[in-house]
Amino acid sequence: MINNGFIILAMKSFSEIETISKRASKAIGFSWGIAEEVGKGIKILELFGLAGIRNLNEYFNLKENNQYENLNLINEKNQSKKYPYCPIILGVSFLDQVNNLEKFKKIQLQKVAFPLLVLPFLSRSSAEIGKKILYKFDEYSFLLNLNVNISSQSFSNECPSNADNIEISFIDNKDNFREQDWKSLYKLSEKTFVKETDSLKIGAAGAGLTDND
Amino acid sequence: MQIKLRNPNIIMKLSRLGSFHQSKLSFLRSFLDEFRDWDYSNDLFDLDENGYGTAIYSFKKKNRVYSLICFANKINNHERSDRVIATKWDAAFTLYDGVPTKEDIERLKNEVPKQEVGRLSYKELTLSRANKSLRVFDHVVASLSEGKQPDLDLLGKVGYLYRTTAVYGSGKFGLADRFRIKDREEINGPFRLEMMLVYLVRQFTFDQVNHVAKFKNPKKAVKLDPEICKSLGIGNSTGLGMAPFIVNHPTLLNNWILCREKALKKIRETKNVQKDQYDLFKKSLKNSVKNITSWNTESEYQKKKINSLLQNVKKTLNFLETKFSFDIEYPFNKIYLWLEKETCDECIEYVVSIMMEPFDEIIKPLVSEMSSDEEKYFNIPTQKTVEDLKNIIENRYTDILKIDFNKKENIKNFWFISRNKEEPRYSNRFEEAGSELEQPLAIARDIKKLYEQLNFFKNNLKIDKFLSKHPSSRHVVRRAFIIDKFPYAEIQDNTIAENVVPVDMLRLKLSFFGALKFDPRSDKWLRICMFQGAPLPNELKDYDQQWVYNFSNEII
């Protein structure tokens, strides 16, 4: 039904998205604690306009008849033995271990199923360590900024069901602009200041002229 | 004088929590206080001669409008049921964010009466339905249409014209998620919009009964006396659906209880109490006795509690009249210590609630501390160690660790979600099928299991490593770290034990809502009354703050 130009009845609330994702994850075999993480993760994806529900459903449909490896301890380079990594266990492990992983600067993984499902865990990890995280697979790249926003050139509902090569990089906290641009703006901002006369120097500040007491 | 907050290991026992009563901190009272200077109006009243149709009520202030849309429908008597399995109700309601358009009303007319199987949108904030108390409603219509006021004895036995059977919010069935509205100043307190819905539904019930009586006998009919209206509340039937809420929202539960405990601590620490403050306390306590003597229930469990409460409140009043002088330092501390020594849990908590009446300066700032940003505490601090976690469990779950979960009576029940109605249920795991689909609400059992698992690991092992070995305990690891920060977040009892009384969990929550007259109909559901004695919407600008105790009690 259309109301005020919006199709509103088709919309699920984020609370419903979280609850259903959690219950479905428990039903497919994850523990309640992991299922809670999935619920939060799918809500984050959908809030940012990414295809969380679709990817989760497709993964669970395949999971019933396919095998996936659990990556419980993440290293700098991670190569699955036979089957693709489960994105949920990978995501939870990353979140749990992020304080130790940060030292690697860049983490490489080979063969990960439904890589979009890892993204919310990385977004939360970014907030946990206070650094941006760059997540790249195939032609997709996402910059995760402290779980506040996600930037990407590839916001589409299509996301691969498998990614062969994944890179997760920790971005050091540094200015995102040139020093010369900063200086130029600073100089401009000085035009809002009042030049102090001798009289203003004496009377307009709180402290005295000397502090030799 | 420094008074310690009361011990969570005592206060958070279910039997104690099930003895809580409404107070100035209760949500329906803080709702009235917040909305007292809003403009109330009845914007639409399009009902036929039988009282079926649509009505809209609103609260407005500056650019903000909240509109209750009511749909009253004809149902057959055999279709009327308070149970969650019902599919039709006498009336269905939604609170709309703003002023609904004609298109909104048409859309909602199709969806709201369907309740759980309808679809709402982010423009709707809460959803509810209610059934008539048929014997009261019909009697009131008959009396008014004959130009008489109704039989006050009958009204007194029930206390309301309608009872709601569920009130939904926070994203259920497509309703607005809480995060969309949580920063609004006027709803900086839990369940404020749910309270608004119930309060406006109460007014609708009065308007509807007057309307039907008028159509029945236009020449003779009179309106229901406003004083009688005020003495009527809105009923509510509540089942197990509420119980998991207080387990699933630990930081919120903590904040509710912590505010109550902080209030009591500050009142006990008040050195010099003014005479008018003490008089207000004593008057409220004295007046409240009628709320106990008019508290009707068929439940033997509740009857015993009411009798004990009545005896103990009388004993307290006698103590205050004959053996106590408020003209001492820290008078409320002395009263509290006397209560602990001389009365029962139910009476202690009852009087604690009434102690808050004279202390607006203590209570009002606490009201805004009763919500919680739960997401902030979701992440597990995985850099902590096994030793850290063991210490938390030993300190926060002292009595829980003593329970032997190998005994059948300690694991007798399980919580599950019914496939039919997607609602929580509670059953005997040894007699009923389905315990393999148990909900994660057996916190005591799972915490003890976690503690036993931790004993197999080195103390300095980090939690991330432990979790990789025991993912099945993740939900209680998260919980233990939350409970470490929030002392009143956990029920200190085994919620699956043979002797657990689930209505205690419901009662705890309902006391914070502000409910009166808990009437357990079994150990799993109860009826209550809300807003009985509350000012009518057109009286909100200036009303008696102690209405709970002072309202005209001719009918009760």
Side-chain angles (χ1 to χ4, degrees):
Chain A
M1 182 182 278
I2 295 174
N3 183 278
N4 295 334
F6 295 102
I7 301 171
I8 55 179
L9 289 186
M11 192 172 173
K12 307 290 182 286
S13 71
F14 291 104
S15 163
E16 289 175 300
I17 287 167
E18 182 174 346
T19 303
I20 297 305
S21 303
K22 178 176 77 175
R23 289 179 181 164
S25 303
K26 173 63 181 163
I28 206 81
F30 291 106
S31 72
W32 276 114
I34 303 275
E36 287 167 350
E37 305 285 355
V38 177
K40 285 275 178 277
I42 300 303
K43 185 170 93 170
I44 290 171
L45 286 174
E46 292 291 338
L47 262 169
F48 285 117
L50 296 164
I53 287 286
R54 178 175 164 179
N55 274 264
L56 188 69
N57 182 47
E58 287 178 6
Y59 176 49
F60 286 172
N61 283 339
L62 288 178
K63 196 173 186 301
E64 285 184 305
N65 299 313
N66 292 280
Q67 288 187 291
Y68 297 92
E69 284 180 28
N70 288 343
L71 182 57
N72 289 313
L73 189 63
I74 300 176
N75 289 305
E76 193 170 9
K77 292 185 177 173
N78 306 272
Q79 165 81 60
S80 64
K81 289 188 181 95
K82 194 171 176 187
Y83 304 108
Y85 287 127
C86 163
I88 289 165
I89 298 299
L90 165 60
V92 170
S93 299
F94 194 95
L95 176 63
D96 285 353
Q97 296 157 31
V98 68
N99 286 290
N100 296 329
L101 297 175
E102 199 187 336
K103 63 177 182 257
F104 293 135
K105 306 277 185 196
K106 185 189 282 184
I107 289 162
Q108 294 177 320
L109 300 119
Q110 290 195 321
K111 279 208 261 179
V112 176
F114 291 89
L116 188 74
L117 297 177
V118 182
L119 190 144
F121 296 100
L122 303 181
S123 182
R124 286 169 59 200
S125 300
S126 160
E128 181 70 27
I129 57 166
K131 283 184 178 176
K132 290 175 191 165
I133 291 177
L134 183 63
Y135 182 43
K136 286 163 85 172
F137 56 90
D138 297 350
E139 73 273 27
Y140 298 87
S141 70
F142 297 88
L143 184 64
L144 310 165
N145 191 0
L146 312 184
N147 208 24
V148 174
N149 61 48
I150 297 173
S151 352
S152 178
Q153 294 160 315
S154 40
F155 277 91
S156 82
N157 262 345
E158 299 300 327
C159 229
S161 57
N162 271 301
D164 286 334
N165 293 299
I166 283 186
E167 273 184 18
I168 303 169
S169 310
F170 296 97
I171 311 291
D172 281 335
N173 283 318
K174 58 181 183 184
D175 294 335
N176 197 27
F177 43 81
R178 296 179 307 172
E179 191 59 18
Q180 68 200 70
D181 292 326
W182 175 255
K183 281 183 178 159
S184 167
L185 281 177
Y186 190 87
K187 201 161 185 165
L188 198 56
S189 78
E190 284 182 317
K191 292 189 175 176
T192 62
F193 302 156
V194 174
K195 193 176 176 188
E196 275 189 309
T197 60
D198 287 345
S199 141
L200 282 173
K201 275 181 194 167
I202 294 166
L209 294 180
T210 61
D211 293 310
N212 302 321
D213 51 351
Chain B
M1 184 195 275
Q2 281 282 320
I3 301 282
K4 278 187 178 173
L5 290 170
R6 295 190 295 178
N7 182 353
N9 209 22
I10 294 171
I11 300 306
M12 299 306 290
K13 290 273 187 293
L14 264 182
S15 58
R16 187 67 167 245
L17 297 171
S19 300
F20 276 21
H21 290 266
Q22 69 78 37
S23 72
K24 274 199 117 152
L25 286 170
S26 296
F27 309 143
L28 67 80
R29 291 182 70 181
S30 54
F31 152 72
L32 290 177
D33 208 34
E34 180 66 43
F35 282 85
R36 61 191 305 170
D37 62 343
W38 285 56
D39 293 329
Y40 157 80
S41 65
N42 174 204
D43 304 318
L44 177 74
F45 199 76
D46 183 19
L47 266 54
D48 68 15
E49 61 185 72
N50 296 308
Y52 307 130
T54 306
I56 298 177
Y57 297 84
S58 63
F59 276 115
K60 298 183 185 79
K61 190 176 179 183
K62 295 181 186 162
N63 294 328
R64 184 81 69 208
V65 182
Y66 295 102
S67 302
L68 178 82
I69 311 176
C70 316
F71 299 106
N73 298 308
K74 180 176 170 54
I75 68 169
N76 296 317
N77 286 350
H78 72 270
E79 294 172 319
R80 188 175 292 106
S81 167
D82 286 359
R83 297 193 59 192
V84 75
I85 54 172
T87 55
K88 286 184 177 177
W89 299 270
D90 284 309
F93 313 93
T94 189
L95 191 68
Y96 184 89
D97 191 10
V99 179
T101 61
K102 277 183 185 171
E103 290 76 23
D104 285 321
I105 295 168
E106 282 308 306
R107 170 175 62 86
L108 294 167
K109 196 181 275 181
N110 285 325
E111 302 297 327
V112 173
K114 291 191 238 166
Q115 295 284 297
E116 291 96 335
V117 293
R119 285 302 297 171
L120 286 303
S121 79
Y122 64 90
K123 290 298 291 175
E124 289 82 57
L125 305 166
T126 53
L127 173 75
S128 182
R129 68 294 188 96
N131 281 330
K132 288 171 184 162
S133 166
L134 212 53
R135 61 189 168 131
V136 175
F137 193 91
D138 287 351
H139 166 75
V140 175
V141 168
S143 304
L144 297 179
S145 63
E146 287 302 314
K148 295 181 299 190
Q149 291 299 321
D151 173 11
L152 300 184
D153 282 344
L154 175 65
L155 263 57
K157 280 184 189 131
V158 178
Y160 49 80
L161 298 175
Y162 266 73
R163 58 180 168 265
T164 57
T165 65
V167 182
Y168 297 111
S170 298
K172 280 262 192 180
F173 318 118
L175 291 167
D177 284 296
R178 178 148 177 89
F179 78 87
R180 289 180 184 271
I181 52 172
K182 71 181 172 66
D183 293 333
R184 294 182 187 179
E185 210 173 284
E186 69 273 17
I187 51 176
N188 184 16
F191 292 99
R192 223 160 247 171
L193 296 176
E194 286 83 352
M195 294 299 119
M196 181 188 287
L197 177 143
V198 174
Y199 181 65
L200 291 173
V201 166
R202 174 181 179 243
Q203 184 58 42
F204 168 74
T205 69
F206 304 144
D207 293 343
Q208 189 195 34
V209 86
N210 284 331
H211 175 86
V212 177
K214 176 89 179 160
F215 265 96
K216 196 168 179 193
N217 194 346
K219 286 185 181 160
K220 245 180 140 181
V222 291
K223 282 193 167 182
L224 190 58
D225 184 322
E227 284 305 308
I228 297 177
C229 292
K230 268 162 74 170
S231 299
L232 294 170
I234 191 90
N236 176 265
S237 284
T238 295
L240 285 178
M242 258 189 188
F245 182 92
I246 56 172
V247 180
N248 288 333
H249 299 274
T251 60
L252 191 62
L253 176 65
N254 173 81
N255 291 357
W256 297 359
I257 312 266
L258 183 60
C259 284
R260 185 177 165 85
E261 294 307 312
K262 278 185 186 170
L264 173 62
K265 174 179 152 64
K266 286 181 180 173
I267 292 166
R268 291 173 65 190
E269 286 172 348
T270 304
K271 190 173 176 183
N272 299 308
V273 173
Q274 303 303 310
K275 185 175 182 309
D276 58 339
Q277 290 178 308
Y278 178 71
D279 287 347
L280 179 60
F281 160 70
K282 222 165 79 174
K283 185 183 169 204
S284 299
L285 184 60
K286 217 182 262 184
N287 286 350
S288 78
V289 171
K290 70 177 185 300
N291 290 357
I292 308 173
T293 53
S294 64
W295 185 345
N296 297 314
T297 178
E298 296 297 313
S299 157
E300 288 304 318
Y301 171 77
Q302 192 61 46
K303 271 183 190 167
K304 272 187 203 160
K305 289 184 97 176
I306 295 169
N307 282 337
S308 163
L309 174 63
L310 185 60
Q311 297 315 314
N312 280 283
V313 168
K314 283 181 176 168
K315 190 174 161 186
T316 308
L317 281 167
N318 184 50
F319 165 73
L320 295 174
E321 292 286 355
T322 61
K323 294 175 190 152
F324 182 78
S325 163
F326 90 94
D327 204 12
I328 54 169
E329 290 183 350
Y330 309 105
F332 281 103
N333 185 46
K334 191 171 177 193
I335 294 169
Y336 181 79
L337 294 174
W338 181 87
L339 288 167
E340 284 256 301
K341 205 171 153 203
E342 301 288 340
T343 68
C344 60
D345 285 358
E346 182 98 24
C347 181
I348 296 169
E349 297 309 323
Y350 187 82
V351 180
V352 164
S353 286
I354 296 177
M355 279 182 185
M356 296 180 204
E357 294 300 330
F359 293 101
D360 269 355
E361 70 280 12
I362 293 175
I363 304 302
K364 283 195 173 174
L366 289 171
V367 167
S368 60
E369 295 177 19
M370 295 180 87
S371 296
S372 171
D373 188 356
E374 296 177 308
E375 304 261 327
K376 260 167 66 180
Y377 310 101
F378 187 74
N379 281 3
I380 298 172
T382 50
Q383 290 302 292
K384 298 255 183 180
T385 63
V386 163
E387 186 178 23
D388 295 331
L389 187 50
K390 277 166 69 178
N391 284 339
I392 293 169
I393 295 175
E394 285 162 9
N395 290 328
R396 296 288 188 202
Y397 294 92
T398 318
D399 287 355
I400 299 296
L401 291 180
K402 293 176 192 156
I403 300 171
D404 180 357
F405 288 99
N406 292 313
K407 288 186 176 168
K408 227 175 165 180
E409 67 261 29
N410 289 332
I411 52 163
K412 185 178 171 189
N413 297 304
F414 72 105
W415 293 88
F416 65 101
I417 304 283
S418 103
R419 180 167 288 193
N420 302 19
K421 285 302 264 188
E422 299 191 12
E423 279 286 320
R425 299 276 187 271
Y426 187 66
S427 196
N428 183 326
R429 79 172 68 240
F430 300 110
E431 291 174 3
E432 303 287 349
S435 65
E436 71 282 5
L437 298 175
E438 182 170 15
Q439 290 289 300
L441 297 167
I443 302 300
R445 182 200 60 194
D446 295 352
I447 282 283
K448 175 123 190 216
K449 187 177 163 197
L450 167 64
Y451 186 72
E452 288 165 352
Q453 288 168 345
L454 289 167
N455 282 330
F456 287 98
F457 290 86
K458 285 186 179 164
N459 273 342
N460 62 358
L461 186 82
K462 294 273 173 65
I463 293 302
D464 60 335
K465 301 281 188 313
F466 171 79
L467 283 171
S468 69
K469 302 279 181 205
H470 284 288
S472 64
S473 286
R474 189 178 185 90
H475 66 295
V476 269
V477 170
R478 185 193 327 279
R479 194 167 182 98
F481 282 116
I482 290 174
I483 270 53
D484 184 39
K485 293 194 189 84
F486 299 95
Y488 297 100
E490 194 74 280
I491 294 171
Q492 292 294 330
D493 256 316
N494 174 17
T495 53
I496 55 169
E498 184 173 33
N499 60 359
V500 85
V501 184
V503 287
D504 283 337
M505 297 166 82
L506 312 186
R507 164 124 179 225
L508 159 68
K509 190 175 171 196
L510 291 165
S511 73
F512 276 98
F513 279 19
L516 291 174
K517 301 190 176 167
F518 307 98
D519 175 15
R521 313 293 282 191
S522 78
D523 64 342
K524 296 192 182 77
W525 73 283
L526 50 75
R527 282 186 180 160
I528 52 151
C529 193
M530 295 170 80
F531 290 109
Q532 191 172 23
L536 300 172
N538 59 11
E539 300 170 331
L540 273 184
K541 296 221 174 341
D542 179 25
Y543 69 92
D544 172 12
Q545 289 286 326
Q546 278 69 46
W547 56 266
V548 178
Y549 311 110
N550 296 345
F551 65 92
S552 164
N553 61 342
E554 284 171 28
I555 73 157
I556 62 170

